[in-house]
Amino acid sequence: MTSDVPKGEKLYEGKAKILFRGPEPGTLIQYFKDDATAFNNQKKGTIAGKGIINNRITDLIMTRLAGIGIPTHYIRRLSDREQLVHEVQIVPLEVIVRNIAAGSMSKKFGVEEGTRLARPLVEFSLKNDDLGDPLLAEEHILILGLATEEELDEIFEMSLKINDFLRGMFAAVGIDLVDFKLEYGRLAEEDGYTLVLADEFSPDNCRLWDMRTGEKMDKDRFRRDLGGEVEAYQEVARRLGISLDAGD
Ligand code: TMP
Ligand code: ASP
């Protein structure tokens, strides 16, 4: 499935994706690259075919989340590397949900990686690479005007619902959902706006551990130089029932 979609103007190029103006007003095309970065761009590389896999995984997850009533920016997949989404105003927060301590949580608070948390933790960082995405307390969010109290309530509620659902979905295929990052956006409507899930959901922005072997099946393979990134991403797709054969 190659792209025959006429892309509009390039609006923004991020570390793993490019956004183009979409075919209809209020739409964007999200293009998934193979580029991988870690530690705020200090480590750079490519994972061959990652963009194609992440496009498919995001398609499946956004569609399933819409099915349980989570509003999303997602419209449909257009090609191997492209998906059509609604244009939103991104809430400048990285919303991280954790079930098991790992990564920066282990480092910052001295909690051993692999420790199961008493309940899911919802944590926020400022989406600002120049500042190194600093951790935010709820008070910072409100006082800095990054989101309103109502939006924060909605973000908590939706993020926990997404976590419940995805934990079950991954557990059913033998994968522990350790943590993940979400982004939300404001979708303009006639009478105001709706808060919707935006961006992507892929092994680039979550941690997935094989329940039987403990193997990492996510971007930590790249961050930590473990190798086998492509195979791990492919295995996640395979377990979710995605066929990556040409023509699908
Ligand atoms: P952390 O342990 O490094 O804070 O990461 C928590 C989760 O968030 C992990 O699944 C990776 C994801 N993440 C992103 O998607 N983007 C980022 O910029 C960072 C720092 C983390
Ligand atoms: N995506 C971030 C970066 O490029 C951090 C990460 O995922 O580790 O730097």
Side-chain angles (χ1 to χ4, degrees), residues 15-16 36-44 94 129 133 181 203-207 219-220 222-223:
K15 287 179 282 199
T37 67
F39 315 115
N40 202 12
N41 240 341
Q42 288 176 52
K43 181 178 165 83
K44 290 191 175 94
E94 302 212 336
D129 284 344
D133 297 344
K181 188 260 297 183
D204 267 10
N205 39 51
C206 64
R207 288 195 171 92
K219 204 168 96 177
D220 268 350
F222 168 77
R223 293 189 191 96

Side-chain angles (χ1 to χ4, degrees), residues 20-83:
F20 295 92
R21 199 170 289 294
E24 292 124 39
T27 64
L28 300 176
I29 292 174
Q30 195 163 244
Y31 178 96
F32 288 75
K33 301 190 284 184
D34 286 348
D35 297 346
T37 67
F39 315 115
N40 202 12
N41 240 341
Q42 288 176 52
K43 181 178 165 83
K44 290 191 175 94
T46 54
I47 302 175
K50 170 174 84 80
I52 296 174
I53 303 174
N54 285 355
N55 187 18
R56 296 293 300 273
I57 294 176
T58 298
D59 168 42
L60 179 139
I61 291 183
M62 288 289 176
T63 304
R64 294 215 183 148
L65 289 175
I68 61 156
I70 301 288
T72 80
H73 75 153
Y74 191 66
I75 304 175
R76 65 177 183 278
R77 191 166 69 91
L78 297 172
S79 71
D80 272 351
R81 290 179 183 272
E82 292 160 330
Q83 50 183 240

Side-chain angles (χ1 to χ4, degrees), residues 95-217:
V95 180
I96 292 167
V97 183
R98 300 180 188 271
N99 297 304
I100 299 175
S104 73
M105 170 155 195
S106 296
K107 218 173 181 173
K108 275 200 187 90
F109 304 109
V111 189
E112 195 183 340
E113 195 155 272
T115 307
R116 278 179 195 272
L117 306 179
R119 61 185 173 81
L121 169 68
V122 181
E123 161 189 302
F124 303 95
S125 301
L126 180 65
K127 189 175 155 59
N128 184 325
D129 284 344
D130 294 341
L131 299 176
D133 297 344
L135 193 64
L136 295 168
E138 282 175 62
E139 284 282 84
H140 289 122
I141 298 173
L142 299 176
I143 290 166
L144 295 173
L146 304 171
T148 65
E149 204 153 358
E150 294 71 35
E151 286 176 328
L152 258 191
D153 287 348
E154 274 188 70
I155 287 175
F156 265 108
E157 196 183 315
M158 277 201 256
S159 302
L160 289 171
K161 188 169 168 186
I162 291 168
N163 183 47
D164 267 354
F165 178 77
L166 293 184
R167 248 172 118 172
M169 190 186 91
F170 280 111
V173 296
I175 297 175
D176 245 332
L177 178 60
V178 174
D179 58 30
F180 56 88
K181 188 260 297 183
L182 301 174
E183 292 186 25
Y184 289 91
R186 301 178 180 110
L187 176 65
E189 283 174 340
E190 273 166 33
D191 51 351
Y193 68 85
T194 311
L195 195 70
V196 300
L197 181 64
D199 194 41
E200 66 172 288
F201 193 107
S202 75
D204 267 10
N205 39 51
C206 64
R207 288 195 171 92
L208 302 170
W209 292 352
D210 184 284
M211 278 180 165
R212 195 171 51 82
T213 63
E215 276 280 294
K216 298 186 197 313
M217 306 174 74

